[in-house]
């Protein structure tokens, strides 16, 4: 039976960039184990912050540009025309006109590089022609050239304001470009305007961008509201469901998080970030639960979520989280086999070796447990939990002198820790 300290520690591991230290204890060991409490996190900060590979993402159909472009053809140069209601076609002093027709056709044909090049050429010759800048911006947006798209769409929008021909498509595209370039604070005012226009139903794509921008700027209540509207419009929107899961985890609403993340993974079985967060949420709920039967069910659910994860991610961090779930469900031999493979990757973190040591120890394979825990100690020499487990493995195998040395090392790091004091005194008479 895994004791409550390990249950709590199972709930706080982080695996996307760095893995937090994880503690484990077992009731059958000859001492009481006390783990240091995990560091507190702000309530609004989710436990895990994995970014789905597809987010921020273009919310467009494969059959059209990101947002519709409807230029007037031909469109005249307004550089010499100060009339507030210019005619559709104006001419330069030499009698030439700015024609964006071909650039628009290229855009419709998804020849984005050519469309951008041609539209920019028109814009250079007719710098006050908003449609040229607009087409260039849309093409650059599709080319993922977000900074260029922002610059050109902003020029187009400024010119439209001067000419009193403001165009929602342009401002919507600019908001989208800001999101895709992760300038969420600048995107948000445009997205609020896009989703609050009178007389129409907000576009779910723009609601998604708004919810994402609100999430990223800490406006979590608004983000949750708008992402729920997206899911209402499209119940299979896996990215919005993922972010709703993130928000729920941040509120410690693990039931809500698990419900949203299960829907996300059903909708997109290859959504690795959703599987990661779902596995972690099950581990947290299991650790917090007072009912052993419910906790056991959550650990098994964490294993199933971990199985979904390793179908799409097989790196050491994913396998480490899966191994943690297996340990939680007391499948020690299976956990050891998975974690053993994970340790073969170069640069594997200390926590993976630590969990491997735990799994091998609980499977009664103490020589392998000692080897893994020794590596964990080398990689994380300040982690007292490693010394608890390594000392225990030495003590069980009657290597009392080594056990004493390890317990004293832990005591040196945590002088007030009564468990290390008791353990050191217990083995001292046998250490020769």
């Amino acid at each position: 039976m895994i004791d409550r300290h390990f249950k709590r520690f199972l709930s706080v591991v982080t695996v996307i960039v760095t893995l937090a230290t994880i503690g484990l204890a077992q009731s059958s060991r000859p001492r009481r184990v006390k783990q240091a409490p995990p560091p507190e996190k702000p309530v609004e900060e989710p436990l895990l912050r994995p970014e789905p590979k597809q987010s921020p993402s273009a919310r467009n159909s494969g059959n059209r540009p990101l947002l519709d472009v409807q230029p007037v053809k031909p469109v005249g140069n307004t550089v010499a025309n100060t009339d507030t209601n210019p005619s559709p076609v104006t001419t330069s002093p030499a009698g030439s006109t700015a024609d964006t027709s071909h650039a628009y056709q290229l855009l419709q044909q998804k020849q984005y590089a050519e469309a951008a090049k041609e539209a920019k050429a028109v814009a250079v010759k007719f710098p006050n022609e908003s449609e040229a800048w607009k087409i260039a911006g849309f093409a650059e947006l599709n080319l993922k050239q977000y900074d260029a798209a922002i610059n050109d769409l902003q020029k187009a929008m400024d010119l439209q304001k001067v000419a009193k021909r403001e165009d929602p498509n342009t401002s919507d595209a600019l908001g989208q470009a800001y999101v895709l370039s992760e300038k969420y604070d600048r995107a948000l005012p445009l997205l609020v305007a896009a989703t609050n226009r009178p007389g129409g139903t907000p576009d779910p794509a723009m609601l998604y961008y708004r919810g994402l921008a609100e999430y990223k700027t800490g406006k979590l209540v608004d983000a949750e509201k708008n992402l729920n509207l997206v899911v209402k419009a499209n119940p299979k929107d896996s990215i919005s469901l993922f972010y709703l899961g993130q928000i729920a985890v941040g509120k410690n609403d693990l039931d809500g998080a698990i419900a949203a993340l299960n829907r996300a993974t059903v909708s997109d079985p290859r959504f690795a970030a959703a599987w990661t967060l779902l596995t972690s949420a099950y581990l947290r709920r299991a650790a917090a639960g007072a009912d052993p039967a419910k906790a056991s069910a959550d650990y098994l659910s964490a294993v199933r979520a971990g199985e979904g994860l390793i179908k799409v991610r097989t790196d050491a961090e994913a396998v480490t989280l899966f191994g943690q779930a297996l340990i939680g469900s007391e499948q020690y031999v299976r956990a050891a086999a998975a974690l053993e493979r994970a340790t073969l990757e170069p640069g594997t973190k200390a926590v993976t070796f630590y969990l491997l040591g735990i799994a091998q120890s609980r499977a009664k394979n103490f020589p392998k447990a000692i080897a893994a825990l020794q590596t964990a100690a080398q990689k994380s020499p300040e982690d007292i939990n490693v010394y608890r487990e390594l000392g225990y493995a030495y003590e069980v195998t009657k290597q009392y002198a080594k056990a004493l040395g390890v317990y004293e090392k832990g005591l040196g790091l945590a002088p007030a820790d009564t468990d290390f004091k008791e353990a050191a005194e217990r083995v001292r008479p046998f250490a020769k």
Side-chain angles (χ1 to χ4, degrees):
M1 172 79 67
I2 299 177
D3 72 14
R4 193 162 187 81
H5 296 291
F6 181 52
K7 290 180 182 178
R8 185 178 69 238
F9 240 62
L10 278 178
S11 72
V12 296
V13 65
T14 304
V15 297
I16 296 304
V17 179
T18 58
L19 291 168
T21 301
I22 304 167
L24 180 75
Q26 182 184 18
S27 58
S28 60
R29 64 176 56 195
R31 55 187 166 73
R32 176 175 56 87
V33 173
K34 183 188 300 178
Q35 305 286 9
E40 293 292 330
K41 291 181 178 291
V43 68
E44 72 276 8
E45 179 72 9
L47 172 71
L48 290 171
R49 295 298 295 270
E51 294 301 326
K53 291 182 179 179
Q54 57 268 63
S55 180
S57 63
R59 311 284 288 194
N60 62 300
S61 122
N63 299 319
R64 61 180 177 85
L66 291 174
L67 293 170
D68 292 331
V69 183
Q70 305 278 339
V72 177
K73 302 173 287 192
V75 180
N77 175 30
T78 60
V79 66
N81 190 341
T82 58
D83 191 337
T84 58
N85 293 293
S87 60
V89 179
T90 57
T91 61
S92 70
S96 59
T97 62
D99 187 348
T100 60
S101 301
H102 189 247
Y104 175 68
Q105 291 173 2
L106 291 170
L107 183 67
Q108 292 295 88
Q109 295 164 7
K110 301 184 181 181
Q111 299 183 48
Y112 300 125
E114 293 82 357
K117 180 178 179 181
E118 187 159 326
K120 289 296 279 284
V122 174
V124 168
K125 190 173 182 180
F126 302 97
N128 281 13
E129 181 43 66
S130 63
E131 292 298 327
W133 294 111
K134 175 182 173 181
I135 293 171
F138 272 89
E140 289 156 346
L141 189 54
N142 279 280
L143 290 167
K144 301 182 180 180
Q145 297 171 2
Y146 302 129
D147 288 341
I150 288 169
N151 184 62
D152 291 344
L153 290 167
Q154 186 66 63
K155 287 180 180 177
M157 201 164 79
D158 292 343
L159 290 167
Q160 290 165 0
K161 288 180 180 179
V162 170
K164 299 189 183 304
R165 291 187 296 159
E166 294 183 41
D167 171 39
N169 276 336
T170 305
S171 59
D172 289 359
L174 180 58
Q176 185 171 335
Y178 276 131
V179 169
L180 294 169
S181 61
E182 300 183 4
K183 298 179 175 69
Y184 301 108
D185 56 334
R186 301 187 70 178
L188 193 51
L190 295 166
L191 298 169
V192 170
T195 53
N196 284 335
R197 292 191 182 106
T201 302
D203 181 351
M206 301 310 291
L207 278 172
Y208 162 76
Y209 283 120
R210 177 178 173 177
L212 178 59
E214 288 165 338
Y215 175 82
K216 293 292 188 178
T217 54
K219 298 175 175 62
L220 300 182
V221 173
D222 293 335
E224 185 175 19
K225 174 185 174 182
N226 287 302
L227 291 170
N228 271 314
L229 290 174
V230 177
V231 172
K232 184 177 180 180
N234 177 12
K236 295 184 178 181
D237 191 308
S238 59
I239 303 177
S240 296
L241 287 164
F242 169 79
Y243 279 109
L244 287 170
Q246 286 270 38
I247 292 168
V249 168
K251 297 190 300 182
N252 204 33
D253 176 13
L254 298 176
D255 293 346
I258 287 168
L261 293 164
N262 269 313
R263 290 175 63 187
T265 54
V266 168
S267 177
D268 182 0
R270 299 197 62 78
F271 199 161
W275 284 118
T276 300
L277 189 56
L278 179 59
T279 306
S280 176
Y282 274 125
L283 288 173
R284 281 188 62 171
R285 194 168 74 175
D291 184 337
K294 290 182 179 179
S296 295
D298 275 338
Y299 282 125
L300 288 173
S301 294
V303 170
R304 288 192 290 270
E307 289 168 342
L309 172 61
I310 63 172
K311 287 179 182 177
V312 292
R313 276 185 61 188
T314 56
D315 57 276
E317 290 177 345
V319 175
T320 297
L321 186 60
F322 178 49
Q324 188 183 355
L326 289 168
I327 291 172
S329 65
E330 302 184 26
Q331 299 182 50
Y332 301 124
V333 173
R334 190 179 173 196
L339 292 163
E340 188 79 52
R341 292 193 298 272
T343 61
L344 299 178
E345 287 193 17
T348 302
K349 299 184 185 301
V351 68
T352 306
F353 286 96
Y354 176 62
L355 286 174
L356 174 59
I358 295 298
Q360 296 286 18
S361 176
R362 302 308 180 266
K364 310 300 183 185
N365 192 336
F366 291 107
K368 287 190 174 181
I370 289 169
L373 291 165
Q374 286 174 333
T375 303
Q378 292 170 1
K379 287 178 171 285
S380 186
E382 304 300 313
D383 187 347
I384 62 173
N385 294 300
V386 175
Y387 298 115
R388 294 187 198 281
E389 294 298 333
L390 182 56
Y392 170 66
Y394 279 136
E395 185 177 353
V396 168
T397 55
K398 300 183 180 181
Q399 300 181 62
Y400 297 116
K402 290 183 178 180
L404 178 60
V406 169
Y407 287 144
E408 289 181 337
K409 174 69 173 177
L411 191 58
L413 293 169
D417 191 297
T418 57
D419 290 325
F420 278 125
K421 290 178 182 179
E422 292 171 4
E425 292 307 312
R426 185 173 59 246
V427 301
R428 194 182 305 279
F430 306 99
K432 297 178 182 179

